[in-house]
Amino acid sequence: VSTEPETGGTTQECPGLGGYRVLVLDDDARMSITLRGPDGGEHPLDLWSTVTSSFSSLGDSAVWRVRGAVDAAAPTALVVEVRASESPEDPERVTVYRAVAKVGPGGNCVTEKVGADASHDDVLRAADGASAKPCIAHPEG
């Protein structure tokens, strides 16, 4: 969608579900997502502050959780993989998180960051319960 000439930061747009679009932001070796809602409003997930402030990249795909019939499914949650380089002593070591975000009328925000040791079922349970959870607060400063 765009490239920032001064910093080289980029924004890419991917299709989503239920009228949502996914904007993938890449700037200063860190990645994040902003959801563009059916109404055109933008909802930053701020993965670079809610999940990790370290250098990061996103996994190749996202998992949508939905409610309703296939042809009229309403998204309720989104799960994305975030790979973070959090060890200055060993920059090749990567910590993997799964960011769980609630999606829809109750808000669009990250509600949980799940470690790589969690099972697939644990991640899906976190996603299915996301709409009832508060947003992760942004760190101060």
Side-chain angles (χ1 to χ4, degrees):
V1 173
S2 67
T3 300
E4 173 59 44
E6 204 165 302
T7 66
T10 62
T11 300
Q12 298 177 49
E13 186 173 10
C14 303
L17 292 175
Y20 280 87
R21 306 287 296 170
V22 178
L23 302 176
V24 178
L25 315 172
D26 188 349
D27 193 22
D28 193 27
R30 292 166 179 83
M31 295 182 83
S32 188
I33 288 176
T34 293
L35 295 176
R36 181 173 288 149
D39 63 355
E42 293 191 358
H43 310 278
L45 297 185
D46 291 325
L47 301 176
W48 35 45
S49 62
T50 58
V51 176
T52 183
S53 60
S54 298
F55 295 133
S56 62
S57 62
L58 300 178
D60 294 332
S61 62
V63 174
W64 289 91
R65 299 300 278 178
V66 299
R67 172 182 68 246
V70 173
D71 57 344
T76 59
L78 176 70
V79 179
V80 295
E81 183 179 275
V82 179
R83 296 183 213 117
S85 177
E86 297 178 320
S87 174
E89 300 80 34
D90 185 4
E92 298 301 315
R93 189 172 84 203
V94 172
T95 304
V96 177
Y97 299 105
R98 285 173 198 91
V100 177
K102 61 182 171 181
V103 178
N108 298 278
C109 63
V110 175
T111 59
E112 197 167 344
K113 92 176 174 182
V114 181
D117 57 340
S119 72
H120 181 71
D121 288 341
D122 289 340
V123 173
L124 295 182
R125 271 191 289 279
D128 290 342
S131 63
K133 293 181 182 170
C135 300
I136 291 178
H138 293 269
E140 297 299 320

